[in-house]
Amino acid sequence: MQSWIEDIHARARTRLGQGRVASYIPALAQQDPERLGIAVSTNAGELYTAGDAETPFSIQSIAKVLLLTLALRTHGETLWQRVGLNPSGMPFNSLAQLEAEQGKPRNPFINAGAIVVTDRLVSAFATPPKHLQDVARRLSGNASILIDDRVLASEWQHRSRNAAAAYLMKAFGNLDNEVDEVLHTYFSCCALAMSCIDLAVALNFLAADGHARAMGERFVSPGLTRRINAIMTTCGMYDAAGDFAYRVGLPAKSGVGGGIVAVVPGRMTICAWSPALDGNGNSVAAQHALELFAEELAPLGVSMPLR
Amino acid sequence: MQSWIEDIHARARTRLGQGRVASYIPALAQQDPERLGIAVSTNAGELYTAGDAETPFSIQSIAKVLLLTLALRTHGETLWQRVGLNPSGMPFNSLAQLEAEQGKPRNPFINAGAIVVTDRLVSAFATPPKHLQDVARRLSGNASILIDDRVLASEWQHRSRNAAAAYLMKAFGNLDNEVDEVLHTYFSCCALAMSCIDLAVALNFLAADGHARAMGERFVSPGLTRRINAIMTTCGMYDAAGDFAYRVGLPAKSGVGGGIVAVVPGRMTICAWSPALDGNGNSVAAQHALELFAEELAPLGVSMPLR
Amino acid sequence: MQSWIEDIHARARTRLGQGRVASYIPALAQQDPERLGIAVSTNAGELYTAGDAETPFSIQSIAKVLLLTLALRTHGETLWQRVGLNPSGMPFNSLAQLEAEQGKPRNPFINAGAIVVTDRLVSAFATPPKHLQDVARRLSGNASILIDDRVLASEWQHRSRNAAAAYLMKAFGNLDNEVDEVLHTYFSCCALAMSCIDLAVALNFLAADGHARAMGERFVSPGLTRRINAIMTTCGMYDAAGDFAYRVGLPAKSGVGGGIVAVVPGRMTICAWSPALDGNGNSVAAQHALELFAEELAPLGVSMPLR
Amino acid sequence: MQSWIEDIHARARTRLGQGRVASYIPALAQQDPERLGIAVSTNAGELYTAGDAETPFSIQSIAKVLLLTLALRTHGETLWQRVGLNPSGMPFNSLAQLEAEQGKPRNPFINAGAIVVTDRLVSAFATPPKHLQDVARRLSGNASILIDDRVLASEWQHRSRNAAAAYLMKAFGNLDNEVDEVLHTYFSCCALAMSCIDLAVALNFLAADGHARAMGERFVSPGLTRRINAIMTTCGMYDAAGDFAYRVGLPAKSGVGGGIVAVVPGRMTICAWSPALDGNGNSVAAQHALELFAEELAPLGVSMPLR
C-alpha cells in the first residue's frame, strides 16, 4: 500500500503547475503551488504517506466537517431547523438563494450554512475557538495543532462577503449570537493549520462507524457517520459535487487551502493536499490523486460507495 | 427475504393516506392512492414482490434513467457538452437557472436536462419512441410493455412548461431537432406503463456492473454503471436528493407516477410504487418502504453506498 | 423649426458609425447603418423632416405602443390583471422574473408583456394582423403601409425565445389563445414597415390628448393618453428608461429596427431612426437626435415633462 | 388654493384606517395611524397647509433625495460610476440583484444605492450627520430640526439587512469607508424629524430650477434639478414607481415614516404625510391626497409632467 500511495503521488505530481493558488486573502496567496502531500489512515491504525504529508496547511472549508459534527453532537437533528441538507446549485458564497429562502442556508457546507452551524456552537461553548482547536488536537492525536493567527487576521480583514451573509441571516432571525463573534469563531476554525496526516487521522471516525482511534472512544454514532458522509457526497465539493461523485465516487470535503479529505466507509480516510485550485475552488493535483486512488481501489476488492 | 419484503410492505402501508396524487395532468390524477407495490430483483436472478408489484403505472421521470443510459451509449462523454452533471438546487422545472446558464441544463434528471438528452436520441434513431419502448421490453423481458396513449395525449396537451424550457434551450442553440418532435419523444418515454417488477428487472443492470440479465448481455460498461449511479445519488430525487442520501443512502430515481427505483450496487435493485406524493414530488409510501429497506440492509451485512 | 430639425440631423449624423445593427434575425441585419431620418409632427398639423424621414423601416418594439393602446381601448383597466405596469429591471426578454412572478409580465413594453397584450387582441378581433395594419394606416394617413413578410418570416423562424416566454405564460394560465397564433399576430405588428413620418403622425394622438388628426377623431381619452405616456417614461427604453429620463426627459418608445418615437405632451411627437444600436438595443444616433432636441426645446419655452 | 388643499385633506381622510404603520423598528411602530398632514410650497413663496402639517415625523427614505442632491453637488456625474440610475424592479432591500450586478446598486433610491451615496458623503465631510442636519435646517428655514436619537438607535439595532447590503458592496470594492460609519450616517439622515411644511419648503428647489428660497440662493443647477426629478419619476416610489406615474404623474419620493413629497416643476412642491402604509411601503392616505391633487391640477391649467 505504501508503494501504491507513492505511485499515486508521483502521477498526481504531473498536475502541478495547473490551477491557481487561492488569492482572496493574502495569507493564502503566498502558499507554494508545488507542494503535494498524501496521507492514508486505515481503520486498522496504519498510516501511509507520500510527499508533503507532514506540512501543516490552512484547512479552510474542511473545517465545516468538524463544525457540523460538533453541532450534530450538541444539537442533534434540531440543527436542521436552521440549515438544509440539499445541494445548493449556487456558488458557495451566493446571497441570492439565501435571500430567496428566508435566511435558511441550503446545506452546512456552503459558507452561510457553516456560519449558522458555528452560531450553534457559539451558543453551546464558553470559548468556542479554543474548544475547536482542542477537538482538532484530540481527534488527530497531535497536541501541537494551532490556529494560524496570520490567516485568522487576514480572513477577518476580508470578511465582507461572509459578513453580508451573516447579517442577512441575522435579519431573518437565523443567528442567535452577534455577527462579529460568530464570524471570529468560524474564521478561527477555518484557520486551523493541520497536515495531511492530522486530517486523515482526525476524520478517520467517518470511515470507522464513528470510532475516533486517537481518542480511543466512539466520537459519534454509526448512523450519524453515515449521514455526514451522505452530505459530503452530495455537497462536499463546492459546485462540483456531481462531477466528483461521477469521477471519484467517495464522500469528500475540500478547502481552498488546497486540502481534500475523502472517506472509504469501513476502510480508511485519505487526505491529499496541493495549493493550486481549479475554477470550482478544488485543488487540481489533490483531486487527481483521489481520482487515481479511487480507480485502483475497486480492483483491489475494496467495496466503495457509488463504485 | 420474501417475508422481509412483505414486512416492509406492511409497515409502509401505514403511510397510505398521506400525500397527494399528481394532478398536473388528468390522466395521472385518477390513480388510486391506496396502491402500494414492491419488487426486488437480485443480481442472482431472484425476484421478491409484495402488494401491487404487477400493476403497470406511468414511469414518468424514471424514464430519465433510460434516456440517459441510451444517450451515453450512443454519444459517450460528449453528452456532457449539452448537459451538466451537478445538482441544480432549483425545482425540477425551473427556467431561471436554465436562462442564467445559457440553456445548458444542470443535470440529466431535471426536465430540461432530460429533454436535451432526448434531443440526442431523436438525432440518433429513426423512430425514437418505438426504440424506447423496444428497449424497455428487452431490458425487462416483458414484451407487452406499452406507451400509454392516454397519458401521452394528456402530457402533450399540458406541455406548456416543458415547451417553454425546450424553446429556451433551442434559443441558446442547445437543441438540434424541432421542439415538437423532441417533446413528443420525451413524453412517449415518460408515458411508458411498467410495473414494479418490470422496473426492478429492467434497471438491474445498474446493480450488476452493466449486465442486463433479461437481455443476456452486457448493456453498458461497469464504469458507466457507477457513473449513472453517482448521478442518481446526487440528482435522482428532485429537490430532495440530499435528504434522501441522508436518510436512505442509495442511488435512486423517482417519478411523479409514484414509482421509485433504488440500486444496491453489486447486489440488487428495488422498485417501490405508491401514487400519493410529498411536496417534492416523491411518493410518500414508496420512500418509506425504501427507508425501511435500507435500515435493515446494513445489519444483514450488505455493503451499501453511503452506509 | 425646419432648420432646427435639419441642424439636429446634421449633428446627430456624427454618431453614425457607432453601435451595431440588430443581428438576431437576418432580415434586420441587412439594414444600412448610415441611414438617419427625423420627423416632427406638431399638434397644429405641421410636419418637419430631415434625412431619411420617408424610408419605411421595421417598427419592431414601437409596435408595443400600438398594441397597448388597442388593448386598453378594447379591454380597459381589466388589462392590468394580465400585465403589470412597473419597470422590470431585467433584460426585455428575461424569463426568470416572469417565472418568479407566476407568468404575469412586469409591463406591456417587455416582450412577454406585449405578447399578453397581443393575446387580448387575438381574443377581440377576427383577423388581428389585418386589423393592426389597418389601424396603422388610418392613424398615419398612409394607406400603403404593409407588414414586411420577409421580416415576419424571419421573426417566426427565430421565435424560440419569445415562444419560451409565451409557453411559460400559457403554463401559468395567462394566455387564452394558442401560442402560435398569438406569436404570429405579435410578429406581424412588429414587422410593420413605417417611416419616421408615418410614426410621428400615427402616434401624435399621444401629444394631442388622444385626438388622432389623420383619422379626424378622438382615438383615446386624454386620461388614457397621459397613462400611456407615463408607461413610456418609466418602461419605454428597454433597460435604459432611467438613463433616458435623466438625459432626455420625454416619454418615448424605441425598437430594435432603430426607430424611437418621443412625445412632447400638448405640443408634438418626434420620430428619429437610425439602425445602429447601443448595448441596450436603442439606436445610438436616434437617441442623440432626441437628446439634442430636448436640450433645445426647454429654452424655446416649451413645457416639457421632467424638464 | 387653501380651501382646495383643505378639501383634498378631507377627502383623503376617508382612507385613514387602511394600511399598516411600519413595524420593522419599534420607534416607527408607535406612530398614530390617524394623522394626516398636507403642505404645499409654491415657487412664489406661498404656503398652504391642512391637518397635521406642522408635526415632525421620521423622513426615512425621503432622506435619499437629500443625500443624492448633496452627493451630486460634491461628486458630480462621477457618482454614477458607483450607482446606476435605472429602476430596479426588485424590492428596495433586495440583495440578489446587487450580487448579480457586482455590488453596483441599480439606483440611488433603493437602500443599497443610498448607502453608496452616503459613503461618498462620508468621504467628503468631516462630520456627515451634523452636516446633513445643517443642510436640512437651511433648506427648510427651520433651525430646530433634529435627528431623532430614538429612531436612530432603533435603526442601528435593527441594521442587519442594511448591514448585509453594505458588506456585500464592500466585498465588491464599492464602499470606501467602514460599514459601521456609513450606516450610522445613513441612519442619521433617515432619522431626521421634519414636518410636511419643512419638507415641502426644503425640497421646493426641485420645482424652482434649483433655487432654494429659504437659503436665498441657487442650491443646484436647473439641469441637475431636472435630472433628480427624472430619477424620482422612475424610481421614487419603491416598487410602485410605474403605478404612481400612471395614476399621479409627478416626480415623487416616499418614506416608510408615511411621508411623500411630490414636485410640480416650475410651480410648487407638495408634501403629504400619514403613517399607515400599503404593501409597497407607500402611505395610503398620502398617496390618495396626491392623486386628488394631481387630478385637479390639470384642469386648473397647470402644466404637469406626464399629464
Side-chain angles (χ1 to χ4, degrees):
Chain A
M1 182 116 173
Q2 177 60 31
S3 68
W4 177 45
I5 298 299
E6 282 168 12
D7 178 59
I8 288 174
H9 182 268
R11 289 163 67 196
R13 278 188 58 82
T14 62
R15 298 296 170 98
L16 295 180
Q18 295 180 25
R20 293 167 54 149
V21 173
S23 58
Y24 77 105
I25 56 169
L28 289 181
Q30 295 157 14
Q31 290 187 101
D32 176 1
E34 296 296 315
R35 313 300 291 268
L36 173 63
I38 304 178
V40 170
S41 164
T42 71
N43 291 9
E46 301 128 343
L47 191 65
Y48 304 97
T49 66
D52 304 302
E54 297 183 40
T55 313
F57 57 89
S58 192
I59 68 169
Q60 294 294 318
S61 287
I62 300 172
K64 290 167 180 168
V65 180
L66 277 182
L67 292 165
L68 173 64
T69 303
L70 291 175
L72 283 170
R73 273 166 51 108
T74 55
H75 292 78
E77 296 285 313
T78 65
L79 181 69
W80 305 118
Q81 296 164 10
R82 301 288 186 115
V83 58
L85 45 69
N86 282 300
S88 97
M90 305 280 278
F92 67 100
N93 55 9
S94 165
L95 293 194
Q97 192 173 55
L98 188 60
E99 181 176 39
E101 298 182 356
Q102 311 284 311
K104 184 176 178 181
R106 267 299 170 98
N107 66 63
F109 289 168
I110 56 173
N111 284 14
I115 291 169
V116 159
V117 166
T118 302
D119 177 66
R120 306 287 67 214
L121 298 179
V122 170
S123 292
F125 296 110
T127 52
K130 197 187 160 308
H131 182 79
L132 289 162
Q133 180 182 281
D134 191 48
V135 168
R137 288 175 175 188
R138 285 162 53 219
L139 280 171
S140 62
N142 177 355
S144 66
I145 287 173
L146 289 171
I147 292 166
D148 183 329
D149 287 335
R150 211 168 111 267
V151 170
L152 173 56
S154 202
E155 297 272 14
W156 180 257
Q157 199 184 340
H158 296 84
R159 75 188 176 283
S160 293
R161 188 168 264 273
N162 285 314
Y167 273 111
L168 184 56
M169 293 190 288
K170 183 94 180 164
F172 281 113
N174 200 20
L175 217 63
D176 288 354
N177 300 284
E178 288 303 312
V179 166
D180 281 3
E181 183 177 7
V182 175
L183 288 182
H184 183 264
T185 301
Y186 172 58
F187 294 146
S188 296
C189 194
C190 293
L192 280 167
M194 297 172 73
S195 68
C196 288
I197 293 173
D198 293 335
L199 280 166
V201 173
L203 297 182
N204 180 267
F205 72 89
L206 292 171
D209 273 349
H211 186 79
R213 205 176 51 254
M215 295 171 73
E217 63 184 48
R218 188 172 289 285
F219 188 56
V220 290
S221 73
L224 199 56
T225 309
R226 291 196 296 262
R227 291 189 180 103
I228 294 168
N229 286 343
I231 300 175
M232 290 172 78
T233 302
T234 54
C235 314
M237 297 296 287
Y238 301 123
D239 245 17
D243 284 299
F244 193 81
Y246 188 82
R247 287 183 293 115
V248 178
L250 292 173
K253 183 76 204 77
S254 77
V256 293
I260 307 178
V261 176
V263 179
V264 187
R267 304 298 285 256
M268 64 188 92
T269 42
I270 175 169
C271 179
W273 166 64
S274 186
L277 313 177
D278 66 15
N280 285 310
N282 298 315
S283 167
V284 174
Q287 271 187 100
H288 191 54
L290 290 173
E291 215 170 329
L292 296 171
F293 174 76
E295 266 170 28
E296 305 202 6
L297 211 49
L300 291 179
V302 175
S303 157
M304 287 175 61
L306 308 181
R307 291 189 76 92
Chain B
M1 182 115 172
Q2 177 59 33
S3 68
W4 178 44
I5 298 298
E6 282 167 13
D7 178 58
I8 288 174
H9 183 267
R11 290 163 67 196
R13 276 187 59 82
T14 62
R15 299 294 171 96
L16 295 180
Q18 295 179 22
R20 294 167 54 151
V21 172
S23 59
Y24 78 103
I25 58 168
L28 288 181
Q30 294 157 15
Q31 290 187 102
D32 177 1
E34 296 296 314
R35 313 299 292 268
L36 174 63
I38 303 177
V40 170
S41 165
T42 71
N43 290 10
E46 300 129 343
L47 192 65
Y48 303 97
T49 66
D52 304 303
E54 297 183 40
T55 312
F57 59 87
S58 192
I59 68 169
Q60 294 293 318
S61 287
I62 301 173
K64 291 167 180 167
V65 180
L66 278 182
L67 293 165
L68 172 64
T69 304
L70 292 175
L72 284 169
R73 274 167 49 109
T74 54
H75 292 79
E77 297 284 313
T78 65
L79 182 68
W80 306 118
Q81 296 164 11
R82 299 289 186 117
V83 58
L85 44 69
N86 283 300
S88 98
M90 305 279 279
F92 67 100
N93 55 8
S94 165
L95 294 193
Q97 192 173 56
L98 188 59
E99 181 177 39
E101 298 182 357
Q102 312 283 311
K104 184 176 179 181
R106 266 300 169 98
N107 66 64
F109 288 168
I110 56 173
N111 285 13
I115 291 169
V116 159
V117 166
T118 303
D119 178 64
R120 307 286 68 215
L121 298 180
V122 170
S123 292
F125 296 110
T127 53
K130 202 190 154 304
H131 182 78
L132 289 162
Q133 180 182 280
D134 191 48
V135 167
R137 289 177 174 184
R138 286 160 52 218
L139 279 171
S140 62
N142 177 355
S144 66
I145 287 173
L146 288 171
I147 291 166
D148 183 330
D149 286 336
R150 212 169 108 269
V151 170
L152 172 57
S154 202
E155 296 271 15
W156 180 257
Q157 199 184 339
H158 296 84
R159 74 188 177 283
S160 293
R161 188 168 263 274
N162 285 313
Y167 273 111
L168 183 56
M169 293 189 288
K170 184 92 180 164
F172 281 112
N174 199 20
L175 217 63
D176 287 355
N177 300 283
E178 287 303 313
V179 165
D180 281 3
E181 184 177 8
V182 175
L183 287 182
H184 183 264
T185 301
Y186 172 58
F187 294 146
S188 296
C189 193
C190 293
L192 280 167
M194 297 173 73
S195 67
C196 288
I197 295 173
D198 292 336
L199 280 165
V201 173
L203 297 181
N204 180 267
F205 72 89
L206 292 172
D209 273 349
H211 186 78
R213 205 176 51 255
M215 295 170 72
E217 63 183 48
R218 189 172 288 284
F219 187 56
V220 290
S221 73
L224 200 55
T225 309
R226 291 195 296 261
R227 292 188 180 106
I228 294 169
N229 285 343
I231 301 175
M232 290 172 78
T233 301
T234 52
C235 315
M237 298 295 287
Y238 300 122
D239 245 17
D243 285 299
F244 193 81
Y246 188 82
R247 287 183 294 114
V248 178
L250 293 172
K253 183 75 203 79
S254 79
V256 293
I260 308 178
V261 177
V263 179
V264 187
R267 305 298 284 255
M268 64 190 91
T269 43
I270 175 169
C271 178
W273 166 65
S274 185
L277 312 178
D278 66 16
N280 285 311
N282 298 315
S283 168
V284 174
Q287 271 187 101
H288 191 54
L290 290 172
E291 214 168 330
L292 296 170
F293 174 76
E295 267 171 26
E296 305 203 5
L297 211 50
L300 290 179
V302 175
S303 157
M304 288 174 60
L306 309 181
R307 292 189 75 93
Chain C
M1 182 111 172
Q2 177 59 32
S3 67
W4 178 46
I5 297 300
E6 282 169 10
D7 179 57
I8 288 174
H9 184 267
R11 290 162 66 196
R13 279 187 57 82
T14 61
R15 299 293 172 99
L16 295 180
Q18 296 179 22
R20 294 169 52 152
V21 172
S23 59
Y24 78 104
I25 57 169
L28 288 181
Q30 294 156 16
Q31 291 187 101
D32 176 2
E34 296 295 315
R35 313 300 292 267
L36 173 63
I38 303 177
V40 170
S41 164
T42 72
N43 290 9
E46 300 130 344
L47 192 65
Y48 303 97
T49 66
D52 304 304
E54 297 182 40
T55 311
F57 58 88
S58 193
I59 69 170
Q60 293 294 319
S61 286
I62 300 174
K64 291 168 181 168
V65 180
L66 277 181
L67 293 165
L68 172 64
T69 303
L70 292 174
L72 284 170
R73 273 167 51 109
T74 54
H75 291 80
E77 296 285 315
T78 64
L79 181 68
W80 306 118
Q81 295 163 11
R82 299 290 186 114
V83 59
L85 44 68
N86 283 299
S88 97
M90 303 280 278
F92 68 99
N93 55 10
S94 165
L95 293 194
Q97 191 172 56
L98 188 60
E99 182 177 39
E101 298 182 356
Q102 311 283 311
K104 184 176 177 181
R106 267 298 169 99
N107 67 63
F109 289 168
I110 55 172
N111 284 14
I115 290 168
V116 159
V117 165
T118 303
D119 177 65
R120 307 287 68 216
L121 299 179
V122 170
S123 292
F125 296 110
T127 52
K130 199 188 157 306
H131 182 77
L132 288 163
Q133 180 181 280
D134 191 47
V135 167
R137 288 176 175 187
R138 286 161 54 219
L139 280 171
S140 63
N142 177 355
S144 65
I145 286 172
L146 288 171
I147 292 165
D148 184 329
D149 286 336
R150 214 169 107 268
V151 170
L152 173 56
S154 203
E155 297 271 16
W156 180 257
Q157 200 185 338
H158 296 84
R159 73 189 177 283
S160 292
R161 190 168 262 274
N162 285 313
Y167 273 111
L168 183 56
M169 293 189 288
K170 184 92 180 165
F172 281 112
N174 199 21
L175 216 64
D176 288 354
N177 300 284
E178 287 303 313
V179 165
D180 281 3
E181 183 176 8
V182 174
L183 287 182
H184 183 263
T185 301
Y186 171 59
F187 293 145
S188 297
C189 194
C190 294
L192 280 167
M194 299 173 71
S195 68
C196 288
I197 294 173
D198 293 336
L199 279 167
V201 173
L203 296 182
N204 180 266
F205 74 89
L206 291 172
D209 274 350
H211 187 79
R213 206 176 50 256
M215 296 170 72
E217 64 183 47
R218 186 172 290 285
F219 188 57
V220 290
S221 72
L224 199 55
T225 310
R226 290 196 297 262
R227 291 187 181 105
I228 294 169
N229 287 341
I231 300 173
M232 290 171 77
T233 301
T234 52
C235 315
M237 297 295 287
Y238 301 121
D239 244 17
D243 284 298
F244 193 81
Y246 188 82
R247 287 183 293 114
V248 177
L250 294 172
K253 185 75 204 78
S254 78
V256 293
I260 307 177
V261 176
V263 179
V264 187
R267 305 298 285 255
M268 66 189 90
T269 42
I270 176 170
C271 179
W273 167 64
S274 186
L277 312 178
D278 66 16
N280 285 310
N282 299 312
S283 167
V284 174
Q287 271 188 101
H288 191 53
L290 290 173
E291 214 170 330
L292 297 170
F293 174 76
E295 265 170 27
E296 305 203 3
L297 211 52
L300 291 178
V302 175
S303 158
M304 287 175 59
L306 307 183
R307 291 189 76 93
Chain D
M1 181 111 173
Q2 177 59 31
S3 67
W4 178 45
I5 297 298
E6 282 168 10
D7 179 58
I8 288 174
H9 183 267
R11 291 163 66 196
R13 278 187 56 82
T14 62
R15 299 294 172 98
L16 295 180
Q18 295 179 22
R20 294 169 52 152
V21 172
S23 59
Y24 77 104
I25 57 169
L28 288 181
Q30 294 157 16
Q31 290 187 102
D32 176 1
E34 295 296 314
R35 313 301 291 266
L36 174 62
I38 303 178
V40 169
S41 165
T42 71
N43 290 8
E46 300 130 344
L47 192 65
Y48 304 97
T49 67
D52 304 304
E54 298 182 39
T55 311
F57 59 88
S58 192
I59 68 171
Q60 293 294 318
S61 286
I62 301 174
K64 290 168 181 167
V65 180
L66 278 181
L67 293 165
L68 173 64
T69 304
L70 292 175
L72 284 170
R73 273 166 51 109
T74 54
H75 292 80
E77 298 284 313
T78 64
L79 182 68
W80 306 118
Q81 295 164 10
R82 300 288 188 117
V83 57
L85 44 69
N86 282 301
S88 96
M90 304 281 278
F92 66 101
N93 55 9
S94 165
L95 293 194
Q97 192 173 55
L98 188 60
E99 182 177 38
E101 298 181 357
Q102 311 284 311
K104 184 177 178 180
R106 266 298 169 98
N107 66 64
F109 289 169
I110 55 173
N111 284 13
I115 290 169
V116 159
V117 165
T118 302
D119 177 65
R120 307 286 69 217
L121 299 179
V122 170
S123 292
F125 297 110
T127 52
K130 199 189 156 308
H131 182 78
L132 288 163
Q133 180 182 279
D134 191 47
V135 167
R137 289 176 174 186
R138 285 161 54 218
L139 279 171
S140 62
N142 178 355
S144 65
I145 287 171
L146 288 170
I147 292 166
D148 184 329
D149 286 336
R150 214 170 107 267
V151 170
L152 173 56
S154 203
E155 297 271 15
W156 180 256
Q157 200 183 340
H158 296 84
R159 74 189 177 283
S160 293
R161 190 168 261 275
N162 285 313
Y167 273 110
L168 184 56
M169 293 189 287
K170 184 92 181 164
F172 281 113
N174 199 20
L175 216 64
D176 287 354
N177 300 284
E178 287 303 312
V179 165
D180 281 2
E181 182 176 10
V182 175
L183 287 182
H184 183 264
T185 301
Y186 172 58
F187 293 146
S188 297
C189 194
C190 293
L192 281 167
M194 297 172 73
S195 68
C196 288
I197 294 173
D198 292 337
L199 280 166
V201 173
L203 297 182
N204 180 266
F205 73 88
L206 291 171
D209 274 351
H211 187 78
R213 207 176 50 256
M215 295 171 73
E217 64 183 47
R218 187 172 290 284
F219 188 56
V220 290
S221 72
L224 199 54
T225 310
R226 291 196 297 262
R227 290 188 181 105
I228 295 169
N229 287 341
I231 300 174
M232 290 171 78
T233 301
T234 53
C235 314
M237 298 294 286
Y238 301 122
D239 244 17
D243 284 298
F244 193 81
Y246 188 81
R247 287 182 294 114
V248 178
L250 293 171
K253 184 76 205 78
S254 78
V256 293
I260 308 178
V261 177
V263 179
V264 187
R267 303 299 284 256
M268 65 190 89
T269 42
I270 176 169
C271 179
W273 167 64
S274 186
L277 312 178
D278 66 16
N280 285 310
N282 298 313
S283 167
V284 174
Q287 270 187 102
H288 191 53
L290 290 173
E291 213 168 331
L292 296 171
F293 173 77
E295 267 170 25
E296 305 202 5
L297 211 52
L300 291 179
V302 176
S303 158
M304 288 176 59
L306 308 183
R307 292 189 74 92

